[in-house]
Amino acid sequence: MAIIKNLVKENKYSIKCPFSMEPEFIVVHNTANDACATNEINYMINNDNQVSYHYAIDDHFIVQGILENRNAWHAGDGAEGMGNRKGLAIEICYSKSGGKRFEDAEILATKFIAEILKDKGWGIDKVRKHQDFSGKYCPHRTLDMGWTRFLNMVQAELNILNKADGIAIMGKSVKSAAALQAELQSKNPTLNPRFKDIANTYLKIGAKYNVKGDIAFCQMAHETGWLKFGGQVAESQNNFAGIGATNGGAKGAVFASIEDGVTAHIQHLYAYATSLDLPQGEYLIDPRFNLVKRGIAPLWTDLNGRWAVPGTTYGQSILKIYDAITDDKSDYPKWRAFGDKWYYYTSAYDYVKASVGQLKWINDNGKRYLVDESGAMLANVVINKNGEVI
Ligand SMILES: [Zn+2]
């Protein structure tokens, strides 16, 4: 997708984008104006207002004014705000008068946003609106026409992109071991303690083979019913992917340890996804490695009818488990620092704030903390359960 760059000059960084940034999500805006994207960006990079955004999009063009690794001032949530410090800002043009050219600008924006999501491995939950951060009714016309409608448009574009090249078996894991392990524990509350590190084992061994260990973990969940077993394969076999277990009733391969079982699983995926030799220093554990036509199934959905027979939705079932796992569960709530201030995050985006002009108590781990209306913890005010300042 062609992007016209008209980047703010470095001598204006202190006004427009003073902080370096690693974006965590997208923030959608409407310009509430009738100028085209080129003019919006030109105006923005040349004035001295502390107002800025990364992209403006009209019915024909995507114009970039700020690099993605710099912050911008757009979300109205202050110098330490998540929106201003972690959000990629996208302005959709022509929202003042609306009509066909606004609708076309929205369509181009949804295609562009879907590309960003795909590039970064993000889901639709990474698409936020200005309103989420400051309460301002923005993107006003997009909201008038329906926010869910807009998200569905983005999702449809993302589905097309994902379908076009599918989701590869090879590559880096995205989800954390903590999130995967937390999901396992919640799906299987009586999990045998010997599996307490299995998510980590999948990520570690997956990384050795450049196989997505997080999705392989989800395949394990699918195959073993979240390690409850109960099918042909017994827990004691350490066989997490039904290797050698056939519809004829064969109980399948047995591995000496969890580590060996995970290695065999990853090797079996490796056999399907690539025709490369095993990585240096690795030795073969998977007894069925050489029965696979090497490299025949580079995508998870290519395993349909191969790993599982019959199976027209086998890969999709694994990816569905994968999509449902969010990092939020295991990581939040937690305190996060921005600058020299601390905020109590309840998810990747939301943190606790007091009402305007008020202070608010937060109970955390037996201690009580005060935050102000910006959400910042007040320095030196930490009080224990008995109400004593400590
Ligand atoms: Zn806005």
Side-chain angles (χ1 to χ4, degrees):
M1 197 164 279
I3 296 164
I4 300 166
K5 286 193 195 317
N6 185 14
L7 297 173
V8 68
K9 299 280 180 296
E10 278 192 38
N11 62 14
K12 288 217 180 204
Y13 273 21
S14 63
I15 301 170
K16 296 292 178 179
C17 52
F19 301 103
S20 64
M21 175 176 94
E22 201 176 345
E24 291 184 4
F25 47 82
I26 291 160
V27 184
V28 177
H29 302 266
N30 285 173
T31 57
N33 202 351
D34 279 335
C36 67
T38 306
N39 289 355
E40 290 284 5
I41 291 289
N42 223 10
Y43 175 74
M44 185 275 288
I45 64 168
N46 285 308
N47 68 35
D48 287 331
N49 307 330
Q50 279 189 317
V51 174
S52 55
Y53 39 87
H54 298 90
Y55 298 97
I57 301 178
D58 64 22
D59 52 349
H60 292 104
F61 300 109
I62 301 160
V63 186
Q64 183 175 16
I66 305 238
L67 290 171
E68 290 198 2
N69 62 7
R70 306 295 308 176
N71 86 302
W73 302 124
H74 55 94
D77 61 350
E80 308 294 344
M82 267 305 258
N84 280 336
R85 295 296 293 275
K86 293 289 174 192
L88 273 182
I90 293 179
E91 288 277 0
I92 303 173
C93 296
Y94 300 140
S95 71
K96 186 177 176 193
S97 302
K100 174 88 165 69
R101 62 183 185 168
F102 171 76
E103 287 164 26
D104 287 348
E106 253 201 352
I107 289 169
L108 185 55
T110 60
K111 289 179 190 296
F112 181 57
I113 290 168
E115 283 215 349
I116 295 175
L117 297 182
K118 176 147 174 56
D119 272 5
K120 298 193 186 296
W122 289 352
I124 193 74
D125 62 317
K126 298 286 190 181
V127 184
R128 315 291 287 182
K129 51 192 187 301
H130 183 172
Q131 189 182 35
D132 296 336
F133 298 94
S134 70
K136 182 178 175 180
Y137 192 71
C138 176
H140 70 104
R141 191 171 290 277
T142 297
L143 293 176
D144 285 349
M145 290 162 67
W147 178 245
T148 304
R149 166 204 62 100
F150 183 81
L151 290 180
N152 283 333
M153 288 164 68
V154 175
Q155 183 68 62
E157 294 293 339
L158 183 58
N159 290 349
I160 291 166
L161 292 177
N162 281 337
K163 206 168 175 179
D165 60 3
I167 296 180
I169 290 171
M170 308 281 294
K172 287 194 183 355
S173 293
V174 173
K175 300 200 193 283
S176 69
L180 298 171
Q181 195 72 38
E183 186 79 3
L184 173 58
Q185 196 69 49
S186 82
K187 288 290 198 309
N188 182 356
T190 58
L191 183 72
N192 187 327
R194 75 189 190 94
F195 292 125
K196 69 178 168 29
D197 287 324
I198 193 167
N200 201 30
T201 305
Y202 265 95
L203 296 190
K204 190 181 69 184
I205 295 171
K208 272 192 210 167
Y209 287 79
N210 192 32
V211 164
K212 289 172 183 163
D214 52 358
I215 306 183
F217 175 92
C218 297
Q219 185 181 21
M220 172 279 287
H222 181 71
E223 289 280 342
T224 65
W226 296 97
L227 294 174
K228 290 176 200 157
F229 296 91
Q232 288 157 239
V233 179
E235 184 192 306
S236 58
Q237 289 175 241
N238 293 314
N239 182 346
F240 307 116
I243 293 172
T246 62
N247 284 347
K251 77 182 184 85
V254 177
F255 301 103
S257 63
I258 292 173
E259 184 119 351
D260 277 4
V262 173
T263 301
H265 180 186
I266 297 289
Q267 287 179 346
H268 208 60
L269 286 166
Y270 189 84
Y272 271 112
T274 173
S275 50
L276 293 172
D277 292 338
L278 289 186
Q280 211 169 5
E282 293 297 294
Y283 60 95
L284 191 60
I285 295 178
D286 171 19
R288 300 183 64 83
F289 189 89
N290 292 314
L291 299 173
V292 172
K293 184 166 182 205
R294 299 292 315 278
I296 195 167
L299 308 180
W300 289 96
T301 46
D302 291 336
L303 298 177
N304 295 355
R306 294 199 167 97
W307 197 298
V309 185
T312 52
T313 56
Y314 181 71
Q316 286 86 342
S317 303
I318 294 165
L319 294 171
K320 199 170 160 194
I321 292 171
Y322 178 74
D323 285 341
I325 299 175
T326 62
D327 272 354
D328 292 7
K329 263 185 231 171
S330 56
D331 293 349
Y332 299 92
K334 69 175 179 191
W335 290 97
R336 288 175 76 170
F338 283 91
D340 57 356
K341 298 212 166 77
W342 288 85
Y343 299 82
Y344 194 65
Y345 277 82
T346 53
S347 77
Y349 319 105
D350 301 315
Y351 52 94
V352 177
K353 291 184 212 175
S355 310
V356 176
Q358 308 275 310
L359 299 171
K360 188 178 174 75
W361 288 107
I362 290 168
N363 293 310
D364 180 37
N365 250 335
K367 289 184 182 160
R368 301 178 78 211
Y369 302 83
L370 265 182
V371 296
D372 65 17
E373 65 183 66
S374 78
M377 184 173 71
L378 298 185
N380 304 323
V381 183
V382 181
I383 291 181
N384 69 16
K385 264 191 245 175
N386 304 323
E388 300 151 348
V389 176
I390 54 175

